[in-house]
Amino acid sequence: MLSDPIAAVATAPGRGALALVRLSGTGAFGIAAATVRRFSADQPRYATLGTFLDRHGHPVDRGLYTVFPAPHSYTGEDLVEFCCHGGAMAASQLLAALAAAGARQAEPGEFSRRAVLNGKMDLIQAEGVADLVDAYAPAQARAALHQIDGGLSARIQSLRTQLLDLVVALAYDIDFPGEDDGPISGAQLQQQLVQARAGMHELLRTAPAGERLRTGALVVLAGAPNSGKSSLFNALLGIDRALVTPLPGTTRDAVEADTEFEGWPIRLADTAGLREADDLVERLGIAVSRRYLAAADLVLLCAEASRPLGAGERQVMAERHTLVVRTKSDLMAGVGGEEVGGISVSVV
């Protein structure tokens, strides 16, 4: 049943001061009345202090509950939100009490699914909710909130309206071909068609940038073995994520981590050093490096400041969008760093 009562813990598991348990569906208030001592649904959207009980009537916690009668709730159904103490016990015991009273465990995303089915939001806004939950950079959060507020939905609705107007005008011309004064002239019809097509192309043009914002731009650290890639990778992350040794070829596989730069999401990848290798494992790692290079939005090409760039490194520059990073600049001033537009760094 699409309206049967469901319940779930809405906050992340683990130790914390508070947890939120959500109950929604037909009969939600009756289930809440069996779980909260002296439960009342007479004050919608008002936090009320109450004692939460298990199936035997024993107290499991004391906290706040808020009632949202249909259709004025997140799901469009009768909904109750319980604010209890966090940690391992309170929320799980409250959830068990709700289940004993007749609610079932909600499936992943089921509250938002019901919100869509009940007309509280559309699919695009529901995706925005998921994107906001998954966001780890401010730019992602801003874009997701704009999507939840209906920004993208409004653009698509505007295009839909334009196309429907065109369909109506075309249908009129087909049904009444002899009429001289139709609702719209042929020239106007052509102009609106051009405008609608331009709007669709513009919207599609933003799709790659939107996906990059959603998943994070892939920035790949590449270069010869022992060129300082892993040291730079750790420095950019602020933690020792990749192994660093004086031995060339320490990195045998790609190491990836999510981070953000100036508020924008970044997928940072440290890769195996590029060279001709006899070792099978290292050759496999280099093959992985080349696949990352092919997919990179930006390559940070690491090369020691003490030597000029080699032919292989210049080939990477020619094939990919590249920023040359002259590493280990504390050891030597470098030769020709400016000739390739590189920047000098030292992670010491």
Side-chain angles (χ1 to χ4, degrees):
M1 294 175 58
L2 294 178
S3 61
D4 62 324
I6 56 174
V9 180
T11 46
R15 189 172 185 270
L18 299 172
L20 184 72
V21 177
R22 180 178 281 169
L23 168 69
S24 179
T26 302
F29 294 165
I31 293 173
T35 312
V36 181
R37 182 178 293 163
R38 291 188 291 275
F39 173 82
S40 173
D42 296 336
Q43 292 182 293
R45 293 171 295 282
Y46 183 86
T48 304
L49 182 65
T51 300
F52 308 144
L53 310 173
D54 64 14
R55 62 187 302 177
H56 304 295
H58 301 145
V60 296
D61 196 12
R62 196 158 189 247
L64 300 174
Y65 68 89
T66 309
V67 174
F68 300 88
H72 305 295
S73 68
Y74 178 76
T75 60
E77 305 170 329
D78 287 342
L79 185 146
V80 184
E81 289 185 346
F82 305 88
C83 183
C84 62
H85 290 94
M89 293 304 301
S92 60
Q93 287 183 308
L94 175 56
L95 188 62
L98 294 173
R104 66 169 173 84
Q105 173 68 45
E107 298 176 0
E110 190 169 3
F111 288 97
S112 293
R113 178 190 178 196
R114 293 191 177 194
V116 172
L117 293 175
N118 292 323
K120 304 300 291 186
M121 65 173 68
D122 57 32
L123 282 173
I124 296 174
Q125 291 171 304
E127 289 180 350
V129 172
D131 289 344
L132 184 58
V133 171
D134 292 336
Y136 59 89
Q140 288 177 312
R142 289 194 299 269
L145 188 58
H146 179 70
Q147 191 166 325
I148 293 172
D149 288 340
L152 180 56
S153 300
R155 292 184 65 181
I156 293 177
Q157 181 61 39
S158 176
L159 288 171
R160 181 178 182 273
T161 300
Q162 292 181 50
L163 293 175
L164 287 176
D165 290 343
L166 288 171
V167 169
V168 170
L170 288 170
Y172 181 91
D173 285 340
I174 293 172
D175 292 339
F176 305 99
E179 296 288 342
D180 293 331
D181 53 347
I184 183 171
S185 68
Q188 289 176 306
L189 190 66
Q190 180 66 25
Q191 182 181 8
Q192 289 188 14
L193 181 61
V194 170
Q195 291 175 347
R197 181 184 299 171
M200 287 187 289
H201 287 170
E202 175 61 23
L203 186 60
L204 290 173
R205 188 186 64 81
T206 64
E211 184 62 20
R212 187 175 292 113
L213 176 62
R214 186 170 179 267
T215 61
L218 180 58
V219 178
V220 175
L221 282 74
N226 206 26
S227 59
K229 302 183 299 300
S230 297
S231 296
L232 180 59
F233 179 78
N234 290 340
L236 291 173
L237 291 178
I239 59 172
D240 290 338
R241 180 73 171 75
L243 293 176
V244 177
T245 74
L247 303 175
T250 299
T251 302
R252 298 295 187 95
D253 198 356
V255 181
E256 188 172 329
D258 293 332
T259 185
E260 59 94 11
F261 180 73
E262 296 293 330
W264 295 89
I266 299 294
R267 290 164 51 212
L268 201 62
D270 181 25
T271 60
L274 301 174
R275 67 174 176 179
E276 295 296 328
D278 296 327
D279 182 80
L280 174 60
V281 176
E282 187 175 358
R283 288 205 309 271
L284 292 173
I286 293 171
V288 172
S289 298
R290 296 198 181 281
R291 289 199 293 271
Y292 267 85
L293 282 174
D297 295 300
L298 174 66
V299 176
L300 298 183
L301 183 60
C302 298
E304 299 94 323
S306 59
R307 63 171 180 81
L309 295 181
E313 292 163 328
R314 292 186 179 276
Q315 182 179 358
V316 172
M317 291 177 59
E319 295 174 351
R320 308 302 304 168
H321 189 56
T322 305
L323 174 63
V324 177
V325 181
R326 306 296 286 189
T327 58
K328 307 179 185 180
S329 60
D330 57 309
L331 301 180
M332 189 172 292
V335 288
E338 293 77 7
E339 67 173 318
V340 292
I343 59 173
S344 298
V345 300
S346 172
V347 298
V348 175

